[in-house]
Amino acid sequence: MTDVLIAGAGPTGLLLAGDLARAGVAVTVLERRAETSNLTRAFAVHARTLELLDMRGAADELLRTGTRVAGLRLFGRTAVDLSRLPGRYPFVLVTPQYETERVLRDRALAAGARIETGVEVTGLRQDADEVVLHVRDDGGTGVRRAAYAVGADGVRSAVRSALGLPFPGRSAVRSVMLADVRLRDAPEDVLTFGSTGDAFAFIAPFGDGWYRVIAWNRARQLPDSEPVDVAELRETVRAAHGTDHGIGEPRWTSRFHSDERQVPRYRVGRVLLAGDAAHVHSPAGGQGMNVGLGDAANLGWRLAAVLRGGVPDTLLDGYHAERHPVGRAVLRGSGALLRGALLRPAPLRAARDVLLRAVAAAPPVGDRVARAVSGIGVDYPAPRDAHPLTGRRAPDVPLTGGTRLFEALRDGRFVLAAPEANPVLAALVERDFADRVRHAVADGRTRTTVLVRPDGHIAWAADDPAPATAHDALAAWTGADHPAPARGAG
Ligand SMILES: Cc1cc2nc3c(=O)[nH]c(=O)nc-3n(C[C@H](O)[C@H](O)[C@H](O)COP(=O)(O)OP(=O)(O)OC[C@H]3O[C@@H](n4cnc5c(N)ncnc54)[C@H](O)[C@@H]3O)c2cc1C
């Protein structure tokens, strides 16, 4: 029996598989498609996702594939400036989704994950000890068993259906056209969004001369099966932007509709849901894949810790507690952006534009918007008495020895970063926690000792902690079962 079965080899399932395999968990991904996908659905990889990839040693490879865009232009003249974001990635990377999947797949396979293609999950049952997935492949039907299963099988998730969970929400927008085109008069290299209320169009540069156009026309509401006509595309972009930028013949087109939905529970017993299987929303803001990758990063270390033993499996409830609110906020944010684009009465549109320009121009507010869009602003709630850093995103601080925090996280262990060399703390980690915690010393001005989770959030922090206090925190989070040093020691 494998430890974890994952349904779906999209970006969410692949990141999770890599994290589990890196932690020594036996993991198998079951993917319905027989071939890898070459569809460019997501093209925006935001700063926090690049940080998550950096913590896995995979950011540089993805960065080689795309183009970096430091600004977002909304509704005409409102600009969101990403260049002031903290960290190494003050931009959004525009690259096709299949490149992100390739990087994640290579990493998962190299770490020892199994990926079986042409295997469809059709149902499941679970009891106190295991999950049994029902599958169908070329050879017929069968079952697969695991200690835990994750549904990362996209918006029409069979795992979610088998759990009997609802997927409440509503339809957000219909008949949205997608096209990859060349442009004779390209806008400058920013993500450009224009709308009139009766039409909107969004243009993103891939960096290789091709552009992704997403366009919608209130007067042309057609079923998804209707092909996209280049004349219709040009007319819609002209209506929204005042010019069609000289759109040439597309290399690829599609028409789709999008919903806003979220499952009420991310965990049911031994089964968890992640990515589009758990939440879906309009492409406004380019968030979907990024949120799914955030889910995977949050879930992987929890499953690994529970399977290794020593921590209660309520650690998995923390996944729902932390990621469900993030999904809900993204649903609201992208919904607001979409409804802003669809606003029809001219006075309301004018008020929207004035308000947005004022918001974006005020540096603290503009920076908040940039942090929200990029995912850099996602922090998790902390217990009332906790240190103020608890739950926050850990910045990529330099460490002694010429390395930095995100590099130290690459082997999947927690990092205990102390403000200065502390032999007692170092010996404690070495003696009792070496297989799950790495000890490091910050190379800069900080007073606080922090325990950083493998997903880059701060689990615990204290100013000048006694070794026994640090031991308790390490044991609670990582599960090693050793006696604490005597109280008051060190
Ligand atoms: C037009 C468009 C533009 C978008 N742009 C962006 C963007 O710029 N940025 C962004 O972040 N997001 C964007 N998104 C959203 C993004 O594509 C999705 O959020 C992302 O693909 C979700 O990843 P996932 O791994 O959760 O699911 P998916 O990518 O849907 O992967 C699910 C996988 O599960 C497999 N599967 C399904 N059912 C089964 C089964 N029963 N058994 C086994 N396998 C199964 C599927 O074949 C698939 O490989 C966009 C989406 C669309 C439609």
Side-chain angles (χ1 to χ4, degrees), residues 7-13 30-33 41-44 97 101 119-122 152-155 158 178 212 214 256 274-277 283 286-292:
T12 306
L30 306 175
E31 167 57 50
R32 182 175 58 191
R33 279 183 282 117
R41 289 196 292 160
F43 52 81
Q97 181 164 331
E101 291 183 9
V119 183
E120 180 179 4
V121 175
T122 55
D153 49 347
V155 64
L178 296 180
R212 162 60 54 87
I214 303 182
F256 78 105
D276 275 17
Q287 299 288 313
M289 179 179 75
N290 291 274
V291 190

Side-chain angles (χ1 to χ4, degrees), residues 237-258:
V237 174
R238 247 191 328 269
H241 284 219
T243 163
D244 66 16
H245 301 288
I247 288 177
E249 274 310 307
R251 65 176 173 188
W252 172 83
T253 63
S254 174
R255 194 185 297 271
F256 78 105
H257 69 276
S258 96

